[in-house]
Amino acid sequence: MKLSEHEKFLQMAIILASKSAKSGKGGPFGAVIVKDGKIVAKAHNTVTSSTDPTAHAEVNAIRKACKKLKDFQLDGCTIYASAEPCPMCLGAIYWARPKALYYAAEKNIAARAGFDDSFIYKELALSENKRKIKTHHLALKDASLPFKTWVSKKDKVEY
């Protein structure tokens, strides 16, 4: 049976994830970003080796792809992730604006291996005063100043 293009790139993400799991450089996650049938970037999770909690495979791949494409958006790109993206990665994917996302393992499989993001989804649904991380809003007089500056800026690059 011949693999489809999507299956081929997703299989690459799974191989990256498996290598990551064996290497001890990060968790068992991999991501491949493709544009016009060509690989733009690929990465695995490097959270522990880089001591960076945001160094998930998808975020690492997005950073590489944007740098290579010299753009902060991934127009026309497809992201292939070895597992269903966590809330942070999903947010990064939406901000990068690719045309599609494909993933292999569902989040319940990752959860059984110790990567359970359900608590984050639950926390997001709570009001700030009920979250585990104490969150405080301080209404400073100048809080809206950066946004007023942005709105009035004539030469801004919108995103």
Side-chain angles (χ1 to χ4, degrees), residues 11 14 38-39 114 150 154:
Q11 191 63 44
I14 292 169
K38 293 183 172 67
I39 296 172
W150 175 259
K154 301 287 185 231

Side-chain angles (χ1 to χ4, degrees), residues 144-155:
S144 64
L145 180 60
F147 300 102
K148 289 176 183 175
T149 303
W150 175 259
V151 168
S152 66
K153 185 171 174 54
K154 301 287 185 231
D155 61 342

Side-chain angles (χ1 to χ4, degrees), residues 28-127:
F29 301 95
V32 176
I33 299 178
V34 175
K35 185 171 186 172
D36 300 325
K38 293 183 172 67
I39 296 172
V40 176
K42 55 186 179 176
H44 60 86
N45 180 292
T46 58
V47 167
T48 57
S49 62
S50 67
T51 61
D52 178 354
T54 69
H56 291 200
E58 299 91 335
V59 172
N60 287 343
I62 288 168
R63 288 174 178 154
K64 286 182 179 181
C66 288
K67 188 172 188 172
K68 185 172 183 178
L69 295 172
K70 295 178 172 60
D71 200 344
F72 57 86
Q73 294 184 340
L74 297 176
D75 292 330
C77 292
T78 301
I79 298 179
Y80 297 90
S82 62
E84 191 170 352
C86 74
M88 178 188 69
C89 290
L90 192 56
I93 289 166
Y94 270 88
W95 279 115
R97 295 179 177 93
K99 69 178 181 179
L101 163 67
Y102 290 82
Y103 67 88
E106 293 177 314
K107 59 185 168 191
N108 61 328
I109 293 171
R112 286 196 299 269
F115 299 93
D116 189 358
D117 299 322
S118 63
F119 78 97
I120 296 173
Y121 290 107
K122 290 175 187 168
E123 285 287 303
L124 290 173
L126 296 174
S127 61

